[in-house]
Each structure stands twice: as C-alpha cells, then as structure tokens.
Amino acid sequence: REKELNILCWEGYNSAEVLDPFRTSTGATVKAESLTNDPTMINRLRAGETNVWDLINVNNPWARKVLLPENLIKPLDRAKFEPHFEKMLPAFKPPYKWAMDDSGEQLIGMAQRFGPFSFVVNTNKVSRATAEDQGWNLWNDDANAGKYGVLESDDWNVFCLCCISGFDPFKVHDDAEIAKFTETAKKVFKGAKVVGDIATMNQAMISGEIDFHLTGGTYSASPARADGHPEIRGITPKSGPLEGGKGGMAWIEITSVVNNPQLSPLAEQFLDYVQSPEMSHKVAFAEGTFNPVTQMGNKACFDLFSAEQLEAIQWDSLEEEMARCVEYDIVPDYDKLLDIMSAAKREASGG
C-alpha cells in the first residue's frame, strides 16, 4: 500500500486543492470520502472499515473518548508530531487535551480546523448585539415563527434544542428535561420556514426569506461572507445554559491514524504535509466552507490570509467568541434525543 491512501473526513480534506499536490509529489492514489456527522464515520470503522481507511478526521472528543479506547486509531510518534503544536495558536500549545489520551502520555491526533458553532443571523434583520444578548431565546419568542431555518446537522441540532430548552446538552437528562426537549423540538421544526443544507440556508438568508438559522457559525456563514455578504454572521451568545453559564459551542477537528492492519506508510506523511503553512492555508480555504486553523499561530501561515479571508472567517471576534464557548462533547443520551428530534421533524414536514 505504499502508493495508496484513504481518508475519511469532514469536507475540506477531500478538496483537490489539498490532495492534488500530495498526489503529485508521492505518485499515490489518494481517496477521500466526506461525511457530515461523526457517529456515522465512527460506526463505519466499528463495522470493519479499519482495513479500508488510513486517516479519520472527526470532532474533538471522539478520538480521546471513543476511537482510542475502542482500538480504532493508533497513537502518533510524539517526538515527531508534537513540535507542530508549538507553532499553533496559544490555546493549542502542547500537551493539547483533545490530541492526547486520558493519561496525557500518548499523542492520538493532530488539531487543525476549529470554530464557534451556535447560530447565524442576517445582521440587517437581527443585530449582532441583539442576537448575542437574546441568545437561544430567539427561538422561544413566538413572534419569530416562520422567520428562521434549520441547518440539517443531527448532532448539532440536538445540542441547540437542548440550549433552547434551557439545559446543558452534555449530561444525562431527567424526565422533565426530556419532556421539555420534546416540546421544544416540535415547536422549532413547526416554526422553521426552511430546513436544508448550508447553500440552501445561506441563499435563504441573503434573499431575505429567513432572518436567522440554527445550527451555524463560521463554518456555515463563511461562504456567504466570502461572496460579499458580511451581513451573514455567526453568533455566539453571551450567556446560556452550558457549563459555566456559557452560551456557545465550539468544535475542533482532530485527525488521527486509523488502526489499519495494513496501514499505508503515507498516513503519517500526509498528516505532516497538511501542517505546513501553505497547506494549512489551503485547508482553511478549501472549497465548501472556510474556517480558522490552529496553524494561524505561526506567522508564516497567518501572513497567507488576505484581509478579505480574515473577514470571511470572522477573525475580528474569534478569540472573544471561543472564550464564550464550551467545546463539543458527547451527549450521553444522544440516541434517545435524536429519535425525539427526528419524529418532530417528520411531524412538521407532514411525514
């Protein structure tokens, strides 16, 4: 498998801009498949696809809490890869929690893209200040029915519905909270004017069909902003029901080496390759969505970003917004909440 590499990832790492230079330099066949939720990717590995994939790219808790304990990924050579973290933004300096195992001894993946992800408004309709102050209560105001959309992203939608319900998603929920979640899910989907993907949501906001949507943030708003629509802005509430009274949620992607019995020798080579300033910039601005990357702590990487690109990824408020966020985590009773939410979505669509 010296000339073959297979990557299971979120969109961006499957971009030709990222993969083609690696294909050219190595002469390898590189295949990348992108999915839009972590549990599905992990279930692919559990179902036996550890012998297919060489790298997996998921949100922060999964490598540490699931993939490594289930022997689905392999630790990295710490001496070789940890120096990359020294050049990252201050929050990611080594040892970085989500890139390490519970003991703090093993390096289990590399951090790159990240960002706040709560909801998005058209600031011509709802000011940034109003959105940050009202936070999740925007969806509890009956006057807003028909003015918003829902970006389909199952795990994040569950997080948001918990926040609208007034409680922390990342804990076990009692019967009263489950009942409240059910009520909220029905109300939110019934009041949603548009349910769809990022392109659909951004177009509906630009055209004025909707004023705001969940779930969203830099990841979803950046394509519209890059196209000359700075009024489309990811919002992180100033306060909310999350741990420490925080109002927003953030994600950090971790890319790990799969515990493939016939692992491609190109897996670690690719992980090293995407750490360079030039490739980190390409990963940040791969087609689809645009995002900050941890390597922006390195001046050689940061200097590659134009003023327009920094504007697109809301660099002006990034540090402040990340400070208002808790980091993506695993919802203990996710399956139960997902079933409730799916039923509410079907009911609202007449299904």
Side-chain angles (χ1 to χ4, degrees):
R1 300 199 56 227
E2 290 79 8
K3 295 292 182 184
E4 178 188 326
L5 179 69
N6 297 324
I7 306 168
L8 190 59
C9 56
W10 282 83
E11 63 183 339
Y13 291 96
N14 60 338
S15 161
E17 292 173 73
V18 176
L19 298 181
D20 281 353
F22 189 78
R23 289 178 176 126
T24 302
S25 66
T26 60
T29 301
V30 183
K31 293 177 182 168
E33 183 176 338
S34 83
L35 297 172
T36 56
N37 77 76
D38 302 304
T40 302
M41 285 194 252
I42 290 160
N43 285 335
R44 296 272 290 268
L45 295 191
R46 286 171 170 156
E49 291 189 22
T50 45
N51 61 0
V52 174
W53 305 104
D54 301 296
L55 292 169
I56 183 168
N57 160 252
V58 287
N59 280 301
N60 45 290
W62 298 100
R64 180 184 174 110
K65 294 187 175 183
V66 174
L67 291 170
L68 188 73
E70 293 187 21
N71 206 29
L72 297 169
I73 59 173
K74 297 170 69 162
L76 295 168
D77 179 343
R78 197 167 168 181
K80 179 180 177 183
F81 283 96
E82 198 162 71
H84 286 302
F85 285 84
E86 298 284 359
K87 296 179 180 176
M88 292 182 187
L89 291 162
F92 301 94
K93 295 294 187 211
Y96 175 60
K97 175 186 171 180
W98 294 116
M100 306 298 292
D101 72 338
D102 281 344
S103 74
E105 295 299 316
Q106 294 184 312
L107 182 65
I108 59 172
M110 300 301 291
Q112 194 149 35
R113 299 189 299 184
F114 70 99
F117 206 64
S118 297
F119 61 85
V120 176
V121 304
N122 179 334
T123 55
N124 291 339
K125 301 288 190 71
V126 181
S127 73
R128 176 183 167 188
T130 297
E132 288 181 342
D133 288 341
Q134 287 195 19
W136 299 106
N137 282 323
L138 278 173
W139 279 268
N140 289 319
D141 185 343
D142 292 339
N144 285 331
K147 293 182 181 178
Y148 62 83
V150 176
L151 174 65
E152 291 202 88
S153 181
D154 286 346
D155 46 355
W156 287 98
N157 291 165
V158 165
F159 300 171
C160 293
L161 291 171
C162 287
C163 290
I164 296 165
S165 301
F167 50 77
D168 189 333
F170 306 118
K171 68 179 187 66
V172 176
H173 303 102
D174 60 29
D175 290 346
E177 288 170 333
I178 296 291
K180 179 66 175 172
F181 181 91
T182 305
E183 177 193 322
T184 299
K186 288 180 176 179
K187 179 180 175 180
V188 166
F189 279 101
K190 187 180 176 189
K193 191 167 188 182
V194 182
V195 178
D197 59 16
I198 288 174
T200 302
M201 212 54 58
N202 282 338
Q203 189 50 49
M205 294 189 74
I206 290 165
S207 70
E209 189 180 355
I210 58 174
D211 297 347
F212 52 97
H213 78 80
L214 64 81
T215 308
T218 315
Y219 190 89
S220 65
S222 55
R225 294 175 64 81
D227 280 345
H229 294 281
E231 71 276 13
I232 309 301
R233 188 173 185 98
I235 296 293
T236 304
K238 286 185 176 173
S239 61
L242 294 140
E243 188 177 354
K246 292 188 175 184
M249 293 163 286
W251 54 278
I252 304 100
E253 282 179 352
I254 303 292
T255 306
S256 302
V257 172
V258 174
N259 189 13
N260 186 326
Q262 292 182 293
L263 183 71
S264 167
L266 296 174
E268 288 199 355
Q269 192 177 327
F270 183 84
L271 261 190
D272 203 46
Y273 156 83
V274 291
Q275 298 298 314
S276 74
E278 297 74 24
M279 291 320 303
S280 294
H281 179 250
K282 286 206 185 307
V283 166
F285 268 78
E287 72 263 21
T289 76
F290 312 132
N291 303 279
V293 288
T294 61
Q295 291 77 14
M296 292 173 82
N298 177 359
K299 188 175 186 300
C301 178
F302 185 85
D303 287 348
L304 296 174
F305 287 79
S306 68
E308 292 77 17
Q309 288 177 330
L310 293 174
E311 171 74 12
I313 61 173
Q314 298 181 201
W315 180 257
D316 60 321
S317 60
L318 181 64
E319 190 174 346
E320 170 192 351
E321 292 193 59
M322 288 295 288
R324 291 186 202 155
C325 289
V326 299
E327 293 170 342
Y328 181 121
D329 214 334
I330 297 169
V331 176
D333 44 15
Y334 175 74
D335 290 345
K336 180 193 290 187
L337 298 180
L338 179 62
D339 285 347
I340 292 168
M341 183 184 82
S342 299
K345 195 192 298 187
R346 283 194 303 274
E347 185 182 314
S349 64

mmCIF file of all heavy atoms in Angstrom, residues 19 33 56 68 75 87 104 109 129 134 149 215 254 277 295 309 312 325-326 331:
data_model
loop_
_atom_site.group_PDB
_atom_site.id
_atom_site.type_symbol
_atom_site.label_atom_id
_atom_site.label_comp_id
_atom_site.label_asym_id
_atom_site.label_seq_id
_atom_site.Cartn_x
_atom_site.Cartn_y
_atom_site.Cartn_z
ATOM 1 N N LEU A 19 -5.445 17.736 -1.888
ATOM 2 C CA LEU A 19 -4.966 16.395 -2.225
ATOM 3 C C LEU A 19 -4.048 16.345 -3.443
ATOM 4 O O LEU A 19 -3.106 15.539 -3.477
ATOM 5 C CB LEU A 19 -6.157 15.462 -2.451
ATOM 6 C CG LEU A 19 -7.086 15.246 -1.253
ATOM 7 C CD1 LEU A 19 -8.201 14.281 -1.629
ATOM 8 C CD2 LEU A 19 -6.323 14.726 -0.038
ATOM 9 N N GLU A 33 -13.265 10.456 1.406
ATOM 10 C CA GLU A 33 -14.727 10.483 1.448
ATOM 11 C C GLU A 33 -15.159 11.375 2.595
ATOM 12 O O GLU A 33 -14.661 11.236 3.715
ATOM 13 C CB GLU A 33 -15.281 9.067 1.652
ATOM 14 C CG GLU A 33 -16.803 9.023 1.629
ATOM 15 C CD GLU A 33 -17.368 7.612 1.743
ATOM 16 O OE1 GLU A 33 -16.648 6.642 1.437
ATOM 17 O OE2 GLU A 33 -18.536 7.487 2.141
ATOM 18 N N ILE A 56 -8.644 9.307 9.842
ATOM 19 C CA ILE A 56 -10.017 9.725 10.134
ATOM 20 C C ILE A 56 -9.984 11.096 10.784
ATOM 21 O O ILE A 56 -9.140 11.373 11.651
ATOM 22 C CB ILE A 56 -10.773 8.701 11.016
ATOM 23 C CG1 ILE A 56 -12.233 9.159 11.226
ATOM 24 C CG2 ILE A 56 -10.046 8.437 12.338
ATOM 25 C CD1 ILE A 56 -13.144 8.106 11.817
ATOM 26 N N LEU A 68 -9.798 5.820 20.432
ATOM 27 C CA LEU A 68 -8.637 5.175 21.055
ATOM 28 C C LEU A 68 -9.062 4.053 22.016
ATOM 29 O O LEU A 68 -8.532 2.943 21.921
ATOM 30 C CB LEU A 68 -7.755 6.199 21.780
ATOM 31 C CG LEU A 68 -6.431 5.594 22.271
ATOM 32 C CD1 LEU A 68 -5.481 5.340 21.109
ATOM 33 C CD2 LEU A 68 -5.765 6.480 23.307
ATOM 34 N N PRO A 75 -1.770 5.606 18.297
ATOM 35 C CA PRO A 75 -1.031 6.799 18.735
ATOM 36 C C PRO A 75 0.028 7.208 17.709
ATOM 37 O O PRO A 75 0.507 6.381 16.927
ATOM 38 C CB PRO A 75 -0.374 6.353 20.050
ATOM 39 C CG PRO A 75 -1.159 5.160 20.500
ATOM 40 C CD PRO A 75 -1.628 4.487 19.242
ATOM 41 N N LYS A 87 3.856 25.607 17.313
ATOM 42 C CA LYS A 87 3.654 26.736 16.398
ATOM 43 C C LYS A 87 2.180 27.144 16.283
ATOM 44 O O LYS A 87 1.849 28.068 15.553
ATOM 45 C CB LYS A 87 4.174 26.364 15.002
ATOM 46 C CG LYS A 87 5.681 26.116 14.946
ATOM 47 C CD LYS A 87 6.076 25.734 13.521
ATOM 48 C CE LYS A 87 7.574 25.476 13.431
ATOM 49 N NZ LYS A 87 7.953 25.021 12.082
ATOM 50 N N GLY A 104 -2.476 11.389 29.276
ATOM 51 C CA GLY A 104 -1.614 12.507 28.922
ATOM 52 C C GLY A 104 -0.270 12.075 28.378
ATOM 53 O O GLY A 104 0.631 12.886 28.179
ATOM 54 N N GLY A 109 -3.675 12.419 17.830
ATOM 55 C CA GLY A 109 -4.152 13.094 16.627
ATOM 56 C C GLY A 109 -3.636 14.509 16.529
ATOM 57 O O GLY A 109 -3.004 15.025 17.464
ATOM 58 N N ALA A 129 -25.676 42.565 18.294
ATOM 59 C CA ALA A 129 -25.837 42.816 19.740
ATOM 60 C C ALA A 129 -27.113 42.156 20.266
ATOM 61 O O ALA A 129 -27.102 41.499 21.317
ATOM 62 C CB ALA A 129 -25.865 44.315 20.017
ATOM 63 N N GLN A 134 -29.883 38.058 23.335
ATOM 64 C CA GLN A 134 -31.044 37.164 23.447
ATOM 65 C C GLN A 134 -30.638 35.698 23.384
ATOM 66 O O GLN A 134 -31.270 34.844 24.004
ATOM 67 C CB GLN A 134 -32.060 37.464 22.339
ATOM 68 C CG GLN A 134 -32.819 38.752 22.557
ATOM 69 C CD GLN A 134 -34.054 38.839 21.662
ATOM 70 O OE1 GLN A 134 -34.539 37.842 21.148
ATOM 71 N NE2 GLN A 134 -34.547 40.044 21.488
ATOM 72 N N GLY A 149 -34.582 29.297 9.787
ATOM 73 C CA GLY A 149 -34.374 27.985 9.180
ATOM 74 C C GLY A 149 -33.623 27.071 10.119
ATOM 75 O O GLY A 149 -33.119 27.501 11.166
ATOM 76 N N THR A 215 -28.411 25.197 12.963
ATOM 77 C CA THR A 215 -27.189 25.434 13.707
ATOM 78 C C THR A 215 -26.257 26.177 12.754
ATOM 79 O O THR A 215 -26.379 26.037 11.557
ATOM 80 C CB THR A 215 -26.579 24.074 14.104
ATOM 81 O OG1 THR A 215 -27.544 23.272 14.748
ATOM 82 C CG2 THR A 215 -25.372 24.255 14.967
ATOM 83 N N ILE A 254 -9.905 16.831 14.997
ATOM 84 C CA ILE A 254 -8.701 16.048 15.275
ATOM 85 C C ILE A 254 -8.578 14.991 14.185
ATOM 86 O O ILE A 254 -9.526 14.254 13.921
ATOM 87 C CB ILE A 254 -8.787 15.359 16.659
ATOM 88 C CG1 ILE A 254 -9.007 16.387 17.779
ATOM 89 C CG2 ILE A 254 -7.536 14.509 16.920
ATOM 90 C CD1 ILE A 254 -7.843 17.325 18.050
ATOM 91 N N PRO A 277 2.609 25.706 6.530
ATOM 92 C CA PRO A 277 1.842 26.952 6.407
ATOM 93 C C PRO A 277 0.983 27.004 5.141
ATOM 94 O O PRO A 277 -0.191 27.370 5.188
ATOM 95 C CB PRO A 277 2.925 28.038 6.385
ATOM 96 C CG PRO A 277 4.056 27.454 7.162
ATOM 97 C CD PRO A 277 4.039 25.989 6.837
ATOM 98 N N GLN A 295 -2.930 26.486 12.949
ATOM 99 C CA GLN A 295 -1.597 26.888 12.471
ATOM 100 C C GLN A 295 -1.484 28.393 12.241
ATOM 101 O O GLN A 295 -0.408 28.905 11.939
ATOM 102 C CB GLN A 295 -1.254 26.133 11.184
ATOM 103 C CG GLN A 295 -1.016 24.645 11.381
ATOM 104 C CD GLN A 295 -2.294 23.827 11.555
ATOM 105 O OE1 GLN A 295 -3.389 24.305 11.282
ATOM 106 N NE2 GLN A 295 -2.145 22.595 12.005
ATOM 107 N N GLN A 309 -10.132 37.322 3.502
ATOM 108 C CA GLN A 309 -10.271 35.977 4.075
ATOM 109 C C GLN A 309 -10.447 36.044 5.582
ATOM 110 O O GLN A 309 -11.255 35.294 6.163
ATOM 111 C CB GLN A 309 -9.062 35.117 3.695
ATOM 112 C CG GLN A 309 -9.070 34.720 2.222
ATOM 113 C CD GLN A 309 -7.844 33.938 1.817
ATOM 114 O OE1 GLN A 309 -6.748 34.107 2.380
ATOM 115 N NE2 GLN A 309 -7.992 33.076 0.829
ATOM 116 N N ALA A 312 -13.954 36.940 6.208
ATOM 117 C CA ALA A 312 -14.879 35.830 5.946
ATOM 118 C C ALA A 312 -14.975 34.883 7.139
ATOM 119 O O ALA A 312 -16.047 34.367 7.442
ATOM 120 C CB ALA A 312 -14.443 35.059 4.701
ATOM 121 N N CYS A 325 -17.502 29.855 24.547
ATOM 122 C CA CYS A 325 -17.969 28.529 24.136
ATOM 123 C C CYS A 325 -17.492 27.419 25.066
ATOM 124 O O CYS A 325 -16.392 27.493 25.616
ATOM 125 C CB CYS A 325 -17.430 28.200 22.739
ATOM 126 S SG CYS A 325 -18.167 29.151 21.404
ATOM 127 N N VAL A 326 -18.314 26.399 25.185
ATOM 128 C CA VAL A 326 -17.821 25.112 25.675
ATOM 129 C C VAL A 326 -17.442 24.313 24.431
ATOM 130 O O VAL A 326 -17.942 24.572 23.337
ATOM 131 C CB VAL A 326 -18.872 24.343 26.509
ATOM 132 C CG1 VAL A 326 -19.274 25.138 27.733
ATOM 133 C CG2 VAL A 326 -20.087 23.981 25.693
ATOM 134 N N VAL A 331 -23.002 13.662 23.832
ATOM 135 C CA VAL A 331 -24.258 13.699 24.590
ATOM 136 C C VAL A 331 -24.556 12.276 25.068
ATOM 137 O O VAL A 331 -24.716 11.371 24.245
ATOM 138 C CB VAL A 331 -25.411 14.219 23.704
ATOM 139 C CG1 VAL A 331 -26.741 14.175 24.452
ATOM 140 C CG2 VAL A 331 -25.119 15.631 23.211
#
